[in-house]
Amino acid sequence: MDGRDITRAALLLPFSSDNAGARAEAINLLNAAQLALFEHGNAGLILIPKDTGGTAAGARQATEAAIRDGADIILGPLFGAAARAAGDAARPYDVPVVAFSTDANAAGNGVYLLSFPPELEVARVAEFASRRGVSRFAYLGPTGRYGRSVSEALSNNARMTGGSLVAEESYTGGVEAMTSAAARLARLGVESVDAMDAFELQERNDWTASEGSPFQAVILPEGGVRLRMLAPLLPYHDVDPLIVKFLGTGLWNDPETVREPALRGGWFAGPDQEARDQFSQAFVTAYGDEPSRIASHAYDAVLLTLHLASGRDGFSQRAVESPDGYLGADGLFRFASDGRIQRGLAIYEVHPSGFRTIDPAPRSFDLEGL
């Protein structure tokens, strides 16, 4: 490689983690990064995988080793504590860290989070719902950090659009705890609908918020089997999805979602499906398996590296935080000055045959609302 302008990108992942799921995810991310390199790379980009072991100490050691190897940018790590450790090690050398964690506490001071924080998804779907007349939102979901993030984001975004979070019920555990929480939410009041009105509402495609409903939309931040356990409990307690709009997070972006009748007509925000499908098809062709949900983060991180390497500002803060953003496997994204990601998301509606796009993802950040 003598005489070439070399760019070195270190990829920090938990290859030897004690957790089998983390090890499997590391391989998915590595494969996606290599796919981007093979599809779009040039002879001057070197990808340097480093093992973090899934720990903060391992991430610090891997970062220090990568900097000794001349890394221009750090891609990864996967977990929040590891991302903070990598940032601490890279910061004195002005080497940016593009981590794959959703832990907002890891962002900033040279650490950028290339992920899907639930706050973005909630903001997008809440804003869309408000345009359809929703001003009274409710939360029904799990306790814990993820649930709190969703609840706080819903409350904040409802307030920004002139609405409010009028009810919040959470639970810890399985179907029994979910049932109790759904019953408590229903005590706020429900709006009944007779059979003829129900038929008419089912036939219409122009749902708008009911003025008489105590809450006009409820967010259900679950996915997979747990979502299918939770959703039917609301109709059981007379919360009719023909009147109250069921909202979701990115956890809804799962084939299991369409199997639950109570979720039909529900809305959630997600990445540009066309871009995602192109990535998935290329991944399957290359490796024979479907990519994990977050494998695209590594793919986009390599595309970002190639873009920065070809720009006049290199890997500077100004370049990484370009307001124009970047297009990747999950559509449009950019980084704010605090290290958090901003994404152009679409709104999807659940139908028995799949997810239907009802508000497309934007193609640039100069559109209203971004």
Side-chain angles (χ1 to χ4, degrees), residues 210-229:
S210 169
E211 288 295 326
S213 183
F215 53 95
Q216 300 152 312
V218 57
I219 196 162
L220 309 174
E222 292 278 17
V225 174
R226 288 185 62 81
L227 176 60
R228 294 181 62 205
M229 291 166 54

Side-chain angles (χ1 to χ4, degrees), residues 164 236 279 328:
S164 61
Y236 177 78
F279 163 70

Side-chain angles (χ1 to χ4, degrees), residues 129 134 136-139 207 215-219 244-247:
V134 175
R136 297 185 295 278
F137 293 85
Y139 170 90
W207 183 94
F215 53 95
Q216 300 152 312
V218 57
I219 196 162
V244 175
K245 181 61 66 174
F246 289 9
L247 308 177

Side-chain angles (χ1 to χ4, degrees), residues 54-256:
T55 68
R60 177 182 288 276
Q61 293 170 4
T63 303
E64 292 169 347
I67 290 172
R68 289 195 298 270
D69 289 342
D72 298 290
I73 189 170
I74 305 294
L75 310 180
L78 181 57
F79 304 118
R84 289 191 292 273
D88 291 341
R91 195 168 298 117
Y93 302 93
D94 291 325
V95 175
V97 175
V98 179
F100 308 138
S101 170
T102 60
D103 183 358
N105 294 322
N109 295 319
V111 178
Y112 301 91
L113 301 185
L114 183 55
S115 57
F116 274 100
E119 295 87 352
L120 290 184
E121 299 159 348
V122 174
R124 177 72 166 97
V125 76
E127 186 275 334
F128 179 78
S130 71
R131 284 193 271 128
R132 299 293 289 269
V134 175
S135 60
R136 297 185 295 278
F137 293 85
Y139 170 90
L140 177 63
T143 56
R145 189 172 69 176
Y146 183 81
R148 287 195 301 272
S149 295
V150 170
S151 175
E152 290 172 5
L154 183 60
S155 179
N156 292 338
N157 284 280
R159 189 166 54 251
M160 289 171 59
T161 57
S164 61
L165 180 64
V166 298
E168 182 176 4
E169 294 294 344
S170 57
Y171 51 80
T172 301
V175 67
E176 185 175 345
M178 291 177 177
T179 302
S180 296
R184 293 194 301 270
L185 183 63
R187 291 191 196 116
L188 188 65
V190 295
E191 186 177 359
S192 61
V193 56
D194 61 34
M196 290 300 296
D197 289 340
F199 179 79
E200 182 180 347
L201 289 169
Q202 285 177 324
E203 294 299 307
R204 290 168 54 185
N205 294 317
D206 58 346
W207 183 94
T208 55
S210 169
E211 288 295 326
S213 183
F215 53 95
Q216 300 152 312
V218 57
I219 196 162
L220 309 174
E222 292 278 17
V225 174
R226 288 185 62 81
L227 176 60
R228 294 181 62 205
M229 291 166 54
L230 176 63
L233 297 175
L234 287 170
Y236 177 78
H237 289 288
D238 298 323
V239 178
D240 197 320
L242 292 174
I243 297 175
V244 175
K245 181 61 66 174
F246 289 9
L247 308 177
T249 66
L251 297 178
W252 282 33
N253 198 358
D254 184 319
E256 289 287 312

Side-chain angles (χ1 to χ4, degrees), residues 6 14 24-25 29 38 85 107 113 116 119 133 146 170 188 226 231 250 262 264 266 276 282 286 294 322 336:
I6 303 300
E25 193 62 72
L29 289 160
F38 297 148
L113 301 185
F116 274 100
E119 295 87 352
Y146 183 81
S170 57
L188 188 65
R226 288 185 62 81
R264 292 173 188 172
R276 176 72 190 192
I294 68 168
S322 169

Side-chain angles (χ1 to χ4, degrees), residues 304 307-308 311-323 326:
L304 172 66
H307 182 90
L308 295 173
R312 64 182 181 181
D313 293 323
F315 295 91
S316 66
Q317 178 181 349
R318 175 179 176 179
V320 176
E321 297 172 10
S322 169
Y326 311 93

